[in-house]
Amino acid sequence: MSHYRDVYCGSPRAQDVGKRLQLAGWAAKRRDHGGLIFIDLRDHTGIVQLVVNPENAADAARVAHEVRSEFVLHAEGEIVPRAPENVNPGLPTGKVELRVERLSILSRSEPLPFQLDDEGVDEPLRLRYRWLDLRRERMQRNLRLSATVVSAIRRRMEELGFVDLWTPGLIRTSPEGARDFVVPVRLQPGRFFALAQSPQLFKQLFMIGGFDRYYQIATCWRDEDLRADRQFEFRQLDIELAFPERDDVLEVLEEAVTASFEALGREPPSRPFPRRSWHDVMARYGSDKPDLRFDMEIQDATEATRDSQFGVFASAPAVRFVTVPQAFSRGELDRLERDARQLGAKGLAYLVYDEEGEVRSPIVKFLSETELEQFRADPGSTVLFAADEPALVGRVLGGLRSQLGRELGLVDESRDEFLWVLDFPLFEWNEDERRWTFSHHPFTGVKPGDEDKIESDPGSALSLAYDLVWNGWELGSGSIRIHDQELQARIFRALGMSEDEARAKFGFLLEALRMGAPPHGGFALGLERFIALLAGEQNIREVVAFPKTASGSEPLSGAPTPIAPEILRELGIQVLPDER
Ligand code: ASP
């Protein structure tokens, strides 16, 4: 296997008894027992016991006495059966041990900042000493799983005729709705590249350039706040197809997901994945990435409350509710009201049905029999209402729904729920800037028939964008693109871009669209999110070898750092004092 070892530590079994083997790995533990020295030797495949007997291997015993945790060792000897009382049924190698004849220390270790088998180590310490953390089972499992998934995806993409093409990291800018990381360039002081937020425009140019099936495991950079599902840099399975129907793109993604499940020996989700419109999903779940592993759908009561004696209901543009399978106490309702206010609600109306089915609520006296009939719920449940603008009502009830789904253990963890969300709105209203902005990116196709709304009613125009959601996480998005330069120019105008600005920023795209652009569309799947979910992790940092912390730094090397004045001078950059 190598100069140092014949097999991995995790492999010796009873049938190897009698074999002479060399092993190499890390000392996980050392125990001295009445003259005999036992060492647990570990690598990523497992642990094997070394036994050193000073009576027949005096040199090895001298070396063994020096061994401490995480020393790197090389051992040579014979695989022998363990004495019956020493058999360890919990260990795959537990029936045998290596009777050491020669032992050498290949590398020593200082006392460690944490023990490798300690589960409770703080994340900052784990990240600061990531090389130790990587040695542990969790990171070994996650990163190897990640590699398995990436290689299965590559294989499947290539079977499907996709060509792996590289696109630049240093680009003009790719508007994906985040801030760019900017990169100064010595040869052109005062000018900056952006690090690609995605390969979006380049993959479109591949389609125009006649590569009809492109894919790439692409690194993307986005300067946005870091969260459990976000890092500054991440990888996407980025794809683009020429001449596709929307469903062709969705099927390719389903293939990639299926291949990943299969590579991990797991039952893939059944196909086709459910498909629902954005409007439908927002109305039922108040979120465009709903977790479908539990029900608790939002119900509408706007019509039913038009003549309500409860003024808040009667006058609200939308009244909706969710029924929660728990009769909440006063204190719990206070807390939920605080949560609702945080989500933007002015208050939280409720009806509590106790175990006897009796209703308890300050608003019950205002509600008619017909209204109460409409809201009736099982004993031991609570109906929570939101009454306001529809978007706000959705946000509040959607937020409470997912919070309570988690808190009350309603999520059925044994289920995997994939969902395609289709027909997103083309634009979103940006209240701060008082203008329309794109909801996916500005190259997203318009739903046929909605073209006129671009100017006349931007808020109701639908797009050809779609998202893939898994268990409440957005895995990625894509769209059928605009391949007509006239339409593209209209979108830029609707986004408030002057003709000059559009030409300056995206002239090359408009030009390319005028020179034989086929219909095209694609998708990007956030790989770290997907892999985190496959690994059963809640945070993508657990599947990234060297992640940034929530504050945006890299604890291992201490990046980012200031740079030397002469480098700044060469780049023509002056750094202003930090005034935040
Ligand atoms: N470029 C898009 C993104 O990164 C994906 C796509 O539209 O293909 O989200």
Side-chain angles (χ1 to χ4, degrees):
M1 185 178 188
S2 88
H3 173 68
Y4 289 106
R5 56 189 178 188
D6 300 312
V7 296
Y8 282 124
C9 294
S11 72
R13 296 286 183 278
Q15 64 265 30
D16 297 311
V17 165
K19 284 190 191 157
R20 290 192 55 80
L21 291 179
Q22 306 183 79
L23 295 169
W26 286 263
K29 238 186 232 138
R30 197 202 71 190
R31 299 176 304 283
D32 289 10
H33 267 294
L36 297 181
I37 305 156
F38 294 92
I39 296 171
D40 283 352
L41 193 68
R42 187 201 66 237
D43 63 23
H44 71 275
T45 65
I47 282 181
V48 63
Q49 178 160 286
L50 310 182
V51 53
V52 190
N53 185 342
E55 286 179 11
N56 50 35
D59 287 348
R62 257 192 303 281
V63 175
H65 276 294
E66 283 183 48
V67 170
R68 298 288 176 272
S69 270
E70 297 308 304
F71 275 31
V72 182
L73 306 178
H74 173 246
E76 219 178 312
E78 188 181 325
I79 296 290
V80 296
R82 292 199 195 187
E85 65 278 14
N86 290 338
V87 165
N88 180 350
L91 207 62
T93 62
K95 288 199 173 116
V96 297
E97 57 198 8
L98 186 83
R99 192 168 61 206
V100 175
E101 286 153 29
R102 289 216 303 235
L103 183 69
S104 53
I105 294 172
L106 301 178
S107 179
R108 289 166 189 265
S109 169
E110 293 176 1
L112 301 175
F114 57 83
Q115 294 311 308
L116 265 65
D117 56 3
D118 182 351
E119 291 296 320
V121 185
D122 284 350
E123 200 189 21
L125 200 61
R126 288 178 56 203
L127 294 181
R128 167 73 183 78
Y129 297 98
R130 192 61 150 181
W131 57 86
L132 293 177
D133 195 40
L134 290 176
R135 252 179 240 166
R136 309 200 304 166
E137 210 237 318
R138 179 182 191 176
M139 290 308 296
Q140 285 284 330
R141 187 184 57 228
N142 288 354
L143 296 188
R144 286 171 193 279
L145 179 147
S146 168
T148 303
V149 169
V150 169
S151 110
I153 289 178
R154 284 189 184 284
R155 233 177 350 235
R156 185 61 53 94
M157 295 308 293
E158 278 156 30
E159 281 161 14
L160 293 172
F162 285 81
V163 181
D164 179 358
L165 297 171
W166 186 47
T167 52
L170 296 172
I171 67 170
R172 181 172 181 123
T173 180
S174 51
E176 295 285 355
R179 283 193 189 82
D180 284 327
F181 279 101
V182 292
V183 183
V185 46
R186 178 183 48 88
L187 293 178
Q188 300 188 44
R191 292 180 168 244
F192 298 85
F193 283 109
L195 287 181
Q197 290 187 38
S198 84
Q200 183 60 37
L201 289 174
F202 294 97
K203 65 175 173 173
Q204 292 191 234
L205 295 177
F206 278 141
M207 297 305 110
I208 300 173
F211 289 93
D212 66 335
R213 291 195 150 206
Y214 144 93
Y215 91 99
Q216 185 182 188
I217 306 289
T219 301
C220 304
W221 295 267
R222 298 184 189 178
D223 184 0
E224 45 190 0
D225 291 341
L226 287 83
R227 295 201 304 235
D229 62 354
R230 262 198 210 152
Q231 282 278 306
F232 284 156
E233 49 191 321
F234 58 92
R235 292 173 305 165
Q236 292 183 335
L237 164 62
D238 197 43
I239 68 166
E240 196 76 7
L241 292 78
F243 307 107
E245 296 284 347
R246 178 187 68 195
D247 287 2
D248 298 329
V249 183
L250 307 194
E251 271 161 32
V252 172
L253 262 296
E254 292 184 7
E255 284 281 343
V257 169
T258 302
S260 307
F261 271 71
E262 285 171 354
L264 299 176
R266 284 166 59 169
E267 178 75 24
S270 62
R271 290 167 60 187
F273 301 165
R275 295 164 191 202
R276 302 229 192 128
S277 76
W278 179 87
H279 271 108
D280 178 41
V281 165
M282 291 303 286
R284 287 184 201 221
Y285 305 106
S287 161
D288 58 7
K289 41 177 196 277
D291 190 340
L292 299 186
R293 292 173 300 168
F294 65 103
D295 296 329
M296 225 167 103
E297 284 188 18
I298 299 173
Q299 322 264 352
D300 190 69
T302 314
E303 281 313 308
T305 52
R306 281 312 74 179
D307 301 321
S308 183
Q309 297 302 303
F310 184 47
V312 174
F313 282 0
S315 60
V319 182
R320 294 187 193 144
F321 65 93
V322 286
T323 304
V324 189
Q326 172 134 334
F328 288 121
S329 68
R330 195 50 257 176
E332 286 163 333
L333 287 160
D334 286 345
R335 184 182 63 96
L336 286 173
E337 176 163 359
R338 274 197 302 278
D339 297 337
R341 283 182 191 278
Q342 287 238 308
L343 292 162
K346 297 189 193 69
L348 183 69
Y350 59 83
L351 299 172
V352 180
Y353 292 91
D354 66 17
E355 295 305 332
E356 277 72 52
E358 287 300 313
V359 63
R360 170 162 61 80
S361 160
I363 67 165
V364 73
K365 55 179 177 286
F366 301 110
L367 301 180
S368 67
E369 272 310 308
T370 349
E371 281 173 298
L372 280 172
E373 212 32 61
Q374 170 106 14
F375 310 137
R376 172 138 340 265
D378 291 340
S381 47
T382 305
V383 184
L384 299 174
F385 294 91
D388 212 305
E389 292 297 333
L392 185 75
V393 165
R395 188 163 75 234
V396 171
L397 292 181
L400 292 177
R401 175 185 178 274
S402 43
Q403 174 185 334
L404 290 169
R406 254 177 288 124
E407 288 179 2
L408 302 180
L410 304 179
V411 177
D412 178 353
E413 303 281 353
S414 71
R415 277 163 66 183
D416 276 316
E417 294 293 341
F418 282 83
L419 172 71
W420 286 110
V421 182
L422 310 173
D423 298 340
F424 274 74
L426 187 59
F427 299 111
E428 268 167 28
W429 180 248
N430 182 326
E431 191 51 46
D432 293 339
E433 296 175 24
R434 307 220 37 88
R435 64 179 185 88
W436 291 103
T437 152
F438 49 83
S439 58
H440 183 42
H441 53 54
F443 320 109
T444 304
V446 185
K447 188 155 174 125
D450 276 11
E451 293 86 350
D452 289 346
K453 296 183 182 163
I454 297 172
E455 292 83 13
S456 65
D457 187 7
S460 75
L462 295 181
S463 73
L464 293 174
Y466 31 79
D467 272 9
L468 180 58
V469 179
W470 179 16
N471 294 348
W473 285 42
E474 182 203 316
L475 287 185
S477 33
S479 56
I480 298 295
R481 326 294 183 190
I482 297 170
H483 68 280
D484 169 64
Q485 86 90 33
E486 271 305 318
L487 187 58
Q488 186 63 73
R490 275 170 70 190
I491 295 287
F492 287 149
R493 261 198 305 280
L495 293 170
M497 240 185 260
S498 72
E499 213 126 299
D500 284 348
E501 192 185 351
R503 202 170 320 111
K505 285 186 174 157
F506 301 114
F508 66 102
L509 173 70
L510 293 170
E511 215 173 1
L513 290 177
R514 288 199 299 270
M515 297 186 190
H520 59 287
F523 194 86
L525 175 94
L527 269 182
E528 279 70 35
R529 283 187 192 174
F530 182 49
I531 289 165
L533 286 174
L534 285 170
E537 294 288 1
Q538 297 299 315
N539 193 313
I540 60 171
R541 290 198 292 269
E542 299 298 351
V543 300
V544 175
F546 301 107
K548 312 281 183 284
T549 58
S551 63
S553 48
E554 204 273 277
L556 197 147
S557 67
T561 58
I563 49 176
E566 55 279 15
I567 300 181
L568 287 175
R569 210 169 306 119
E570 195 174 37
L571 294 167
I573 291 178
Q574 191 178 9
V575 178
L576 301 175
D578 185 357
E579 282 168 0
R580 276 168 306 169

